Structure formats: C-alpha cells, structure tokens
Amino acid sequence: SFSTVSYNSGSHISVIFQVWGSKWPTVFPYCLFNVCVMVILSFVDSHFDGKYSVDVSTQGHGFLTLVVAFLLVSRVNTGLTRYESARDSIGVMYRECRELVQNV
C-alpha cells in the first residue's frame, strides 16, 4: 500500500528538508562526516605545503556513474509501473461508469 506524501510545491527548501518520507535525516550524519574529513584534509594539505596531499582518482566517478544510472532506471521503472496501474484503474472506473449509465 502507498501512503500519500504532501508537500508545499512553492517552497523548494521545505521539499528538500522534509522529514516524513525522506532519507535526509538518515544520510545527513554521513554527509557531515565527509565534510569534516575533507576540511581536515584541506587544512593538513595547506599547512604542510602539499606533503600530505590527497589524489583523487577518476575510477570512483566511473563506478558511481553506473550506480546512479542503475538507481535512476529503477526509479523511472517504479514510476512507470505506478502510472500504468493508475491508468488501468481509471480505465476500469470509466468502463464501470459507462455500464452503470447504460443500465439506468
């Protein structure tokens, strides 16, 4: 069963920071940890003249591209399944209404 999520479409900030139906409260501590690690690494890099620099590989971006593509396709597939289900339900409703009117 699906539950309805209501939101204010005029306020993008309220949509981003909604708590009910959002994974943001779960993910936020990890984001904060990543920011703290990067601030510390940047501080160390700037104060030791690049002696402890961190190199960034492009291999991780390639892997994340595949993961994001998979998640996007599965999300679109879920949305399309919901759309088709709703379309079929409306078709049944129109057919039943037409039969009801014909029998009256």
Side-chain angles (χ1 to χ4, degrees), residues 6 20 27 29-30 32 40 47 50 56 60 67-68 74 82 88 104:
S6 60
W20 190 84
V27 174
Y30 297 107
L32 190 60
I40 290 169
H47 282 74
V56 178
V67 172
V68 168
S74 60
R82 287 182 184 176
D88 293 342
V104 170

Side-chain angles (χ1 to χ4, degrees), residues 9-102:
S9 62
S11 173
H12 298 297
I13 298 297
S14 67
V15 172
I16 291 172
F17 290 109
Q18 71 180 355
V19 176
W20 190 84
S22 174
K23 295 296 180 189
W24 181 246
T26 307
V27 174
F28 183 72
Y30 297 107
C31 295
L32 190 60
F33 175 74
N34 284 332
V35 168
C36 291
V37 167
M38 289 309 298
V39 166
I40 290 169
L41 289 175
S42 297
F43 176 78
V44 168
D45 186 38
S46 66
H47 282 74
F48 290 101
D49 298 324
K51 186 176 179 183
Y52 299 105
S53 66
V54 177
D55 295 330
V56 178
S57 171
T58 58
Q59 188 177 13
H61 289 90
F63 176 72
L64 282 178
T65 300
L66 292 174
V67 172
V68 168
F70 171 75
L71 293 173
L72 181 64
V73 167
S74 60
R75 179 79 174 195
V76 168
N77 191 21
T78 302
L80 186 59
T81 303
R82 287 182 184 176
Y83 170 76
E84 289 175 351
S85 174
R87 185 186 65 180
D88 293 342
S89 297
I90 289 176
V92 168
M93 182 185 68
Y94 282 144
R95 185 173 49 248
E96 295 296 324
C97 286
R98 185 174 56 238
E99 288 178 9
L100 180 66
V101 168
Q102 289 175 351

